[in-house]
Amino acid sequence: MAGLVLTMHFPSACSLLLLLAAASGASAVRTMIPKTSFDSQANFDADWNYNYPWGTDHNGGARMDRNQVRFSNGMVTLTARKVTGQKDATHGGKKIKINYLSGAISAKEHFNVSRGGGYDFSGEFRATTAKGTWPAFWLTAVQGWPPEIDMAEWKGSGKISFNTFNTSSVLSWKDVNYPSPDQFHSIKCEVRDINQRDVSVKFYMDGSLVTTQVGGNFFGKPMYL
Ligand SMILES: *[C@@H]1O[C@H](CO)[C@@H](O)[C@H](O)[C@H]1NC(C)=O
Ligand SMILES: *[C@@H]1O[C@H](CO)[C@@H](O)[C@H](O)[C@H]1NC(C)=O
């Protein structure tokens, strides 16, 4: 089970398109990232950084590179390309060969569920399910780990996965069929305070609730998008 490893995202050797990423506070509703954030470099720079929040490498065989990120007209496209001659990455004390350059972006804002509050994260995605790819739309802890909420990830199996990690070995996961990867699918994730300790996470695909999970002790912990 891929979800049983601590950090799990192989950077995407893939193409992922995101139309509109709107994250709204729940009580006093406000849009944090507008649909227009992929319309121009100035709009992009207001809300997004290139690469992972911690740099260009994570735990897979791809290194993030801003040249693999393209955006216009409300849509961002992340594409991987095969390369040679890159220096190895290091993850968890292990060396990893880099065989691809790929694209990642992260939101400038951090997302911290507060009392009675929460966020909606939504977008339209077209993601490959080709073997060896791992595109992902996910939240992860700013300090330490967890929280991690995988709002949608495609692990190259033909399915789409939705996961919430309490610890590396205690997690909720749901893998479902992912119809027609060549078409756009809408993804929405509602993250809400339950009791000033735990957070509920509702995962929707194409307008239907797929699963509800609970993040233990996620309250008040800032997350990266
Ligand atoms: C994670 O923790 C919350 C709060 O204790 C709990 O409700 C939830 O069931 C836990 N998840 C798993 C997979 O055990
Ligand atoms: C996150 O939210 C909690 C609870 O509302 C608050 O105590 C904490 O200071 C916040 N942390 C950051 C980094 O904003």
Side-chain angles (χ1 to χ4, degrees), residues 112 114 219-220 222:
N112 178 5
S114 59
F219 177 78

Side-chain angles (χ1 to χ4, degrees), residues 15-75:
S15 148
L16 179 147
L17 296 97
L18 167 61
L19 277 174
L20 103 84
S24 321
S27 31
V29 177
R30 121 183 129 86
T31 299
M32 295 179 70
I33 302 178
K35 294 182 197 186
T36 51
S37 75
F38 300 127
D39 285 359
S40 68
Q41 187 73 52
N43 287 9
F44 182 90
D45 291 342
D47 283 303
W48 301 101
N49 290 317
Y50 291 100
N51 303 327
Y52 297 113
W54 51 87
T56 58
D57 300 350
H58 189 28
N59 58 3
R63 174 163 289 139
M64 301 303 118
D65 183 319
R66 61 186 290 161
N67 294 320
Q68 301 307 114
V69 177
R70 290 278 180 272
F71 51 81
S72 67
N73 298 320
M75 182 159 76

